[in-house]
Amino acid sequence: MSGPTVLVVEDETKLRNLIRAFLEREGLTVLSTGSGSEAITIASSAEPDVVVLDLGLPDIPGEEVGQELRVSTNVRLLMLTAKAGESDRIRGFELGADDYLTKPFSPREMVLRVQALLRRGVAPGDPLGPASFGEGALLIDEERHEVRESGRLVALSPTEWGILCALARVPGRVYSRYELVNLVRGYEWEGYERVVDSHVKNLRHKLRDSPTGSTIIETVLGVGYRLCLRRD
Ligand code: CA
């Protein structure tokens, strides 16, 4: 097999086939199963690049499958969940999901998320080379420690810088405050949620990000933040 491989773990046959068809149309090699235990076996032999994992599986809970995959492989996980509560979402990230989608979702959106995960070649912590977003609206050069908005150099505090770089790793992906604080500081502290909010507020101000005009960082209610711009 050549090219990226995606393993789809979903017990609803119709949905599984739909996901499969959309991914195959993008030229990806797709393996699929409706069983959690089979997914673990397939993942260890086929070493997929991305696993699209439904949390509600008949044999093993998707959470356990995810944990198992995390321990034994360095696959990127896109979790599918019917649960939409904040605690479920944060739990998903704590379990090591790289991204998640709440059912029902659009197959197009699912394809975009999988492609974003496949593009994610850099390990967390590695510097992002010069990267352009939103047709040049935002330029981030981690090695030079420079950010430009519409060509204008923007001075950021270390925390603002860290948050922006974290969000820019996978544009469009929602990062919880818990995750951001861990990515930026490596630990959480009491009241960190409001602290993250205030840093994001400052960051938006400096980037001239306006909620009515062109949005750079979007608040996803009850979840966290994401970078709205696409990587060029
Ligand atoms: Ca299911």
Side-chain angles (χ1 to χ4, degrees), residues 180-221:
L180 287 173
V181 90
N182 275 278
L183 284 169
V184 174
R185 292 291 166 110
Y187 56 90
E188 62 176 285
W189 64 84
E190 208 181 328
Y192 70 89
E193 293 187 282
R194 266 184 289 165
V195 175
V196 170
D197 288 344
S198 67
H199 284 299
V200 171
K201 193 180 160 194
N202 294 338
L203 186 53
R204 278 181 170 148
H205 180 71
K206 290 182 178 179
L207 294 174
R208 295 195 291 210
D209 185 1
S210 96
T212 50
S214 57
T215 308
I216 295 176
I217 298 168
E218 184 192 1
T219 305
V220 181
L221 277 181

Side-chain angles (χ1 to χ4, degrees), residues 81-101:
T81 173
K83 303 166 182 172
E86 180 179 15
S87 59
D88 293 312
R89 289 171 177 179
I90 291 176
R91 207 173 116 67
F93 285 129
E94 282 170 3
L95 290 173
D98 296 290
D99 200 358
Y100 73 90
L101 276 173

Side-chain angles (χ1 to χ4, degrees), residues 130-151:
S132 170
F133 302 86
E135 296 175 339
L138 184 69
L139 294 167
I140 302 175
D141 189 336
E142 275 196 57
E143 277 161 346
R144 290 183 173 203
H145 213 277
E146 275 185 3
V147 174
R148 288 176 187 272
E149 180 270 325
S150 302

Side-chain angles (χ1 to χ4, degrees), residues 10-12 54 56-57 103:
E10 167 62 67
D11 58 307
E12 292 165 51
D54 179 32
L57 294 170
K103 290 180 184 177

